[in-house]
Amino acid sequence: MSIYISGIGVSKGIAIGEAHVIAREQLDTAKITLPASELKAEIKRFKTALTQASKQLHDIKEKIAKNTASDIVVFIDTHLLMLEDPAFNDGTVSNIKEYSCNAEWALQMQGERLVQVFDEMEDPYLRTRKDDVLHVVKRIQSCLAGKDQSSDNQSYKGKIIIADDLTPADTIVMQHQKIAGFVTEYGGPLSHTAILARNLGIPAIVGLHHARQLIQRGETLVIDGMAGFIINSPDNKSLKYYRSVKRTETAKRNLLNDLSGKPAITLDKKQITLHGNIDRPADIRTIKKYDDTGVGLYRTEMLFIELNQWPDQRTHFTTYKRAVKAMDGKPLTIRTMDLGADKEIQDTIDHGPMAHNPAMGLRAIRRCLKEPQEFMPQLLAILRVSAFGPVRIMIPMLTNVEELDQVLVLIEEAKQTLKKMQIGFDKAIPVGAMIEVPAAALAVDAFAKKLDFLSIGTNDLIQYTLALDRIDDEVNYLYDPLHPAVLKLIQMIIEGGKKANIPVSMCGEMASDTLYTRLLLGMGLEYFSVPANALLEIKHIIVNSTLKNLQLETQKILQTYDSNEIKTRVQKLVNLL
Ligand code: PEP
Ligand code: MG
C-alpha cells in the first residue's frame, strides 16, 4: 500500500529510486582508564585519526569537479579548519593526559564541551556550527574505530538515501556516487546540507522525523523535493505519473539551456532586467555558466565570515576588483556588509553578550554606522573598484532616512578622501538600498527621493512583516510571500520607485520562485535578481508572458484579503497561455 509522508522540501526535483536507509551505528565511546605508560601511544593514535580524517576530507575535495560552486568547497574547508583547531586537538590531548583515558572518550568530552559553548550562545548561525562540530567528532570517532566514512563500499547509485542527518561532506560523496535524492530526519531549509543539495541539484527533504523507522531499506520511493513529500511503495499508476513528471522536468531543463544569452523580453516587448545573486567573486563563473548577465546582489558579508574578522581596505579592494574583472563590463551591485542575526563572526561574538533578538539587533547598516571607522575601508574599496567597471553600492537593512543620510555623508567623505589622494573612481556611482524593513517600505517615497535604485529584500521583509524567524523551522509554516500584507508592501515599493523614476529590483528568494514571476510582472516589477540556477527558469516565464494579460488578474489579487482567493488567482496567472 502506498503511504504519503511529508517533511520540508529543500531542494526541488522528483527522484524515484530504492530506499537506502543508513543506520548509523553508535560508536563505542565508553571511558577506559589507561596506565600512564600507554598515554603517549594513545595520543599518537588520536593524532593518526586526525591525519586520517583530514586525508578523507582532502580526498573528497579532490573528487569535486573543478566547476563546482565555491560554497561547496567552503563546507569542506570549515571541517578541515576544525580538525586543525586547538580547541579540538589540544583539548582532546589534554583530556587524555588529565583523565588518563582513551582517545574516544577524551574526544567525546571535548566535542560536548564545544557544543555546550555554542548552545549557550543561542545564536542561530552558531547552531549550524554546532552541527559541524558533531560531524567532525563523528568523523574522527570513525577513524579511531578503524572505519572510513568516505570510502563506504556501498554503491549508492540511483538510490534515495534516508539518514538521521548528513554532513555536507557526506552529501558531496553521495552526489559523486550519483544518488537520486535524500531524506533526513533533522535539519532545516537553511542548513549547510540543504544549501548544498540545492547547489548540486539533488532532490531533498529534511526534517522528516522518524524517517528511518517509517521507511525500509529496498522499498521503492518517489520523493518530491519541492512539495516535501515521499510516496512509499507507490502503485503503478503513481509511478507512471511521476516518471512522466520527471521526463518533463528533464526536457524543460534542456529547453531552458537554449535561453542562455537571449534577452529577457516579454511577448509584448517589455525588456526585463534579470541578474544573478552571488556571495563571492568565484560565483560569477557559475552565473556565467547559465547566462552572461549582471549581478544584482553581491552579499559581501561572506568575505567577513571567511576571514572571521572585518577585512582591511586592501582585502576588500582585491576581492571586489577580482569580481569587477570577472564581470567583464556587466554591472555589479555590491551590497555593504550585512552581518548579524544568522551571519556572525568571532569579532562580534567577542563584543559581548548576544542580543536576545539578533534579527532585530545591531545588524547590517546599524552595525556599520555604530563603527564608521570600520565601515570606511569597505566604502573606499567599493568606490575604488568602480574605476574598473560598472559598480553600484547597495545598503542593507535601512530603517529610517536618518540612517540613509549618515551613509550618504560617509560615502561623500570617502569620495573626498580618494579625490585628495588622486585615486580614480566613478563619480556618478549609483547608490541604492535594500527595502526589507516594513517601516522603510511604508516610507519608501522618502528613501526613493535620495537614492538611485531600490531592491526588495523579501527574505527579511517577510520575516519582519509576519514576525517569523526566517531560520526557525518551527515557524516555517507561517512563511507566505502571498500574505496580503506582504503583497501590499511590495506594491508600495514598486510604486515608490516608479514615482521617483528609479529602478526597483527584487533580490530576495521570492524573485527566484517561478510561482510568483507573473504576479510580480503584473505588479510592475521590471528587475529580478536570482541565484544562478534560477536564471533560465525565470527567463523562460518572462519570455512567455504578455504583461497586459497579467494586469487585470494582478489587480484583483491586490484587492483581496482572502488567502485562498489569492492563491487560486496566482495559480491562474501561472497557467495562463
Ligand atoms: C533579503 O532579505 O531578501 C535579502 C536578499 O538579503 P539576505 O537574504 O542576505 O538577508
Ligand atoms: Mg536581507
Side-chain angles (χ1 to χ4, degrees):
M1 196 184 68
S2 308
I3 308 174
Y4 281 77
I5 318 170
S6 52
I8 305 171
V10 292
S11 178
K12 68 181 172 193
I14 302 287
I16 302 170
E18 199 182 290
H20 182 98
V21 183
I22 298 183
R24 298 229 191 232
E25 54 198 304
Q26 284 297 318
L27 295 166
D28 187 8
T29 50
K31 183 181 178 189
I32 301 170
T33 306
L34 301 173
S37 59
E38 286 180 22
L39 293 183
K40 207 167 151 202
E42 192 62 8
I43 291 169
K44 193 162 169 228
R45 194 168 76 84
F46 170 64
K47 296 250 157 118
T48 310
L50 276 182
T51 314
Q52 233 176 313
S54 164
K55 185 175 174 311
Q56 286 175 2
L57 288 172
H58 279 292
D59 285 350
I60 293 167
K61 229 176 128 174
E62 241 170 58
K63 277 186 192 165
I64 302 171
K66 288 228 166 14
N67 58 359
T68 303
S70 57
D71 348 17
I72 294 168
V73 183
V74 167
F75 294 136
I76 306 285
D77 285 339
T78 307
H79 285 200
L80 278 168
L81 279 177
M82 279 193 178
L83 280 176
E84 286 161 18
D85 196 311
F88 251 112
N89 39 47
D90 294 355
T92 305
V93 169
S94 305
N95 287 346
I96 296 177
K97 288 184 192 156
E98 189 178 337
Y99 299 98
S100 300
C101 66
N102 53 329
E104 286 85 349
W105 195 75
L107 172 65
Q108 181 75 12
M109 213 170 31
Q110 195 58 17
E112 279 166 16
R113 260 182 214 152
L114 292 173
V115 164
Q116 200 186 346
V117 172
F118 289 130
D119 263 349
E120 280 166 8
M121 285 174 176
E122 282 183 8
D123 174 78
Y125 175 71
L126 292 172
R127 273 206 291 273
T128 324
R129 289 280 111 118
K130 182 180 86 176
D131 291 345
D132 286 325
V133 172
L134 292 172
H135 292 155
V136 171
V137 167
K138 217 182 250 181
R139 181 170 294 281
I140 307 170
Q141 296 284 27
S142 295
C143 292
L144 284 167
K147 297 187 169 65
D148 184 346
Q149 276 196 340
S150 69
S151 63
D152 192 334
N153 291 327
Q154 309 271 2
S155 170
Y156 292 141
K157 190 164 178 212
K159 303 234 167 104
I160 294 175
I161 307 300
I162 316 292
D164 53 347
D165 190 13
L166 290 177
T167 67
D170 291 334
T171 313
I172 291 168
V173 171
M174 289 175 182
Q175 192 254 356
H176 202 69
Q177 298 193 355
K178 301 196 168 33
I179 58 165
F182 72 76
V183 177
T184 62
E185 295 186 345
Y186 305 106
L190 294 172
S191 71
H192 282 165
T193 301
I195 293 169
L196 195 52
R198 285 194 286 275
N199 278 332
L200 296 170
I202 309 173
I205 296 175
V206 302
L208 205 153
H209 300 276
H210 310 296
R212 288 173 306 158
Q213 283 156 23
L214 298 168
I215 297 161
Q216 307 291 318
R217 193 175 188 145
E219 278 176 332
T220 302
L221 300 180
V222 171
I223 74 171
D224 182 333
M226 175 123 128
F229 67 76
I230 299 184
I231 309 176
N232 191 351
S233 302
D235 56 25
N236 282 341
K237 209 167 135 203
S238 308
L239 261 182
K240 208 167 144 203
Y241 171 73
Y242 282 103
R243 282 199 184 115
S244 92
V245 173
K246 212 169 139 52
R247 272 197 302 277
T248 316
E249 268 182 3
T250 315
K252 209 171 130 195
R253 247 197 318 274
N254 293 338
L255 201 74
L256 288 179
N257 290 338
D258 290 344
L259 283 175
S260 182
K262 303 218 168 104
I265 299 182
T266 63
L267 291 169
D268 46 354
K269 303 282 176 262
K270 179 80 196 165
Q271 171 87 49
I272 304 294
T273 306
L274 181 56
H275 283 175
N277 295 347
I278 62 163
D279 292 329
R280 304 172 184 81
D283 298 342
I284 295 170
R285 233 185 306 137
T286 319
I287 298 275
K288 301 269 177 196
K289 209 173 80 189
Y290 288 94
D291 212 359
D292 187 18
T293 190
V295 164
L297 168 64
Y298 173 8
R299 290 180 162 101
T300 58
E301 55 277 6
M302 291 304 159
L303 177 63
F304 293 64
I305 290 170
E306 275 166 14
L307 296 171
N308 213 1
Q309 62 185 20
W310 290 62
D312 56 20
Q313 193 195 141
R314 190 159 165 267
T315 310
H316 279 299
F317 175 74
T318 48
T319 310
Y320 307 152
K321 189 169 168 200
R322 213 175 321 130
V324 176
K325 293 270 172 205
M327 291 306 295
D328 206 13
K330 294 274 191 287
L332 174 70
T333 309
I334 306 181
R335 181 175 78 179
T336 58
M337 80 71 156
D338 181 5
L339 284 180
D342 60 331
K343 291 175 279 194
E344 222 26 293
I345 57 171
Q346 194 60 39
D347 167 82
T348 320
I349 298 158
D350 291 344
H351 248 74
M354 196 56 69
H356 280 297
N357 223 334
M360 298 200 187
L362 202 58
R363 198 191 140 178
I365 198 62
R366 300 172 180 185
R367 177 77 201 277
C368 292
L369 290 176
K370 188 164 181 235
E371 285 169 83
Q373 74 287 357
E374 302 253 40
F375 184 33
M376 193 48 94
Q378 181 170 40
L379 288 179
L380 286 165
I382 299 175
L383 283 170
R384 284 173 61 195
V385 298
S386 70
F388 301 98
V391 168
R392 314 194 304 167
I393 306 182
M394 184 157 77
I395 315 299
M397 276 286 291
L398 286 170
T399 306
N400 59 45
V401 180
E402 289 69 31
E403 285 174 330
L404 174 58
D405 288 340
Q406 289 176 55
V407 176
L408 294 175
V409 167
L410 289 174
I411 294 175
E412 194 45 44
E413 251 175 53
K415 285 183 176 177
Q416 292 309 326
T417 306
L418 293 179
K419 250 189 217 160
K420 269 189 218 136
M421 296 169 81
Q422 297 187 325
I423 296 176
F425 63 92
D426 174 6
K427 293 188 182 55
I429 186 169
V431 178
M434 305 264 310
I435 303 294
E436 50 187 347
V437 174
L442 291 164
V444 65
D445 293 346
F447 290 89
K449 265 200 290 218
K450 302 185 174 204
L451 288 162
D452 300 308
F453 66 94
L454 306 174
S455 188
I456 310 171
T458 51
N459 306 340
D460 280 312
L461 188 64
I462 294 172
Q463 155 165 267
Y464 297 125
T465 306
L466 304 185
L468 79 104
D469 184 339
R470 61 190 263 192
I471 70 160
D472 183 346
D473 63 293
E474 293 285 351
V475 286
N476 199 40
Y477 69 96
L478 285 170
Y479 177 79
D480 182 14
L482 294 180
H483 190 295
V486 173
L487 294 183
K488 288 197 170 29
L489 290 173
I490 293 174
Q491 187 193 20
M492 287 184 83
I493 304 169
I494 295 173
E495 282 173 3
K498 286 205 194 307
K499 240 194 284 168
N501 206 16
I502 58 171
V504 177
S505 74
M506 179 179 284
C507 61
E509 291 296 301
M510 186 179 181
S512 61
D513 190 329
T514 51
L515 179 62
Y516 311 123
T517 315
R518 283 189 166 159
L519 169 66
L520 294 169
L521 286 170
M523 288 169 80
L525 189 74
E526 294 173 10
Y527 183 168
F528 294 66
S529 190
V530 303
N533 60 4
L535 279 166
L536 298 181
E537 272 187 336
I538 299 296
K539 194 189 282 189
H540 180 254
I541 312 249
I542 293 171
V543 301
N544 284 294
S545 298
T546 307
L547 285 189
K548 68 173 177 1
N549 294 351
L550 305 177
Q551 279 145 5
L552 185 66
E553 198 61 28
T554 304
Q555 280 320 307
K556 286 186 188 153
I557 291 169
L558 294 174
Q559 276 157 16
T560 180
Y561 286 92
D562 180 334
S563 275
N564 286 332
E565 187 186 338
I566 293 176
K567 287 188 175 79
T568 311
R569 288 189 184 281
V570 167
Q571 196 55 50
K572 208 166 138 193
L573 282 178
V574 172
N575 298 339
L576 263 187
L577 284 179

